[in-house]
Amino acid sequence: MRGDFVKTAEHYLELRYRLRNVANHCSIYVSLDELASILYCSTRNVKRILSNMQEDGLIYWKPGGGRGHRSKLLFRCSLEEALTTHIDALLHRGAFKEAIRWLKREGIPARVRERCYREVLAALSFPRIHVREIEGLNRTWPSGIVPAMVSTNTGRWLFVDGQDGDNRK
């Protein structure tokens, strides 16, 4: 997989989103000018983008022969599959705002939006703590002190005493 796969995936999502009524594995014929208008770039850049998408297995593309001939395009990955994979990659990189921006777009299927929002919430939520760990804390802390968990800017979670600010891990 190439290093610029994330950018290629974003181009694919934009193309797939704008042509979301096209079924997977069904060929359509489009001009490079139409694709350039969808991707907001030049026709020369469209050729490079389509070539990258084909190399990554996202599409099948056969250029039209000569000027004015339409190219054959086939999507190999659904909008749902592509979006969930991309959202997972964004969450893994910590790009939460960008993930939410993609999900807020109008026209994203409800089942996809719901599934991806659950993943975003899970990534942003409080880590799971087992009851055994909490019971163990009650025995190690002096009576009267109620431990709380706070997140640091490094992403670590610390147990702290809310009364005097004494940090304990």
Side-chain angles (χ1 to χ4, degrees):
M1 205 177 290
R2 293 175 355 280
D4 60 344
F5 181 75
V6 172
K7 192 65 177 167
T8 301
E10 288 179 1
H11 287 301
Y12 179 79
L13 277 172
E14 186 65 39
L15 191 60
R16 196 66 181 100
Y17 173 75
R18 296 283 298 272
L19 300 172
R20 63 185 170 270
N21 295 329
V22 176
N24 285 351
H25 305 289
C26 288
S27 298
I28 60 169
Y29 291 91
V30 292
S31 71
L32 290 178
D33 289 332
E34 290 169 339
L35 295 175
S37 128
I38 290 172
L39 296 174
Y40 305 106
C41 62
S42 68
T43 55
R44 181 178 180 192
N45 200 25
V46 165
K47 290 178 187 177
R48 183 186 58 79
I49 291 169
L50 291 174
S51 178
N52 289 343
M53 285 183 201
Q54 185 162 334
E55 183 180 324
D56 291 334
L58 297 171
I59 64 168
Y60 168 77
W61 171 60
K62 182 176 181 186
R67 286 185 179 250
H69 289 87
R70 298 169 76 73
S71 298
K72 184 178 184 178
L73 179 66
L74 178 135
F75 293 113
R76 292 183 170 172
C77 183
S78 70
L79 176 62
E80 181 174 343
E81 293 169 314
L83 187 59
T84 53
T85 301
H86 188 61
I87 295 297
D88 287 343
L90 291 173
L91 294 177
H92 185 69
R93 288 189 349 223
F96 301 109
K97 285 183 182 180
E98 190 173 342
I100 291 169
R101 181 183 60 82
W102 272 102
L103 293 175
K104 284 185 173 183
R105 293 184 76 164
E106 187 177 321
I108 299 293
R111 67 182 183 283
V112 177
R113 186 183 318 258
E114 183 180 322
R115 179 179 169 195
C116 290
Y117 266 133
R118 275 189 263 130
E119 291 177 26
V120 169
L121 289 175
L124 293 173
S125 70
F126 193 70
R128 295 177 194 256
I129 299 175
H130 297 288
V131 175
R132 285 174 275 146
E133 293 177 38
I134 293 172
E135 289 172 356
L137 286 173
N138 290 338
R139 284 186 229 123
T140 59
W141 289 61
S143 63
I145 296 176
V146 179
M149 287 186 75
V150 296
S151 173
T152 66
N153 60 354
T154 63
R156 292 184 62 203
W157 290 90
L158 302 173
F159 286 102
V160 297
D161 170 13
Q163 296 173 5
D164 64 2
D166 181 29
N167 291 345
R168 299 178 191 210
K169 296 180 188 173

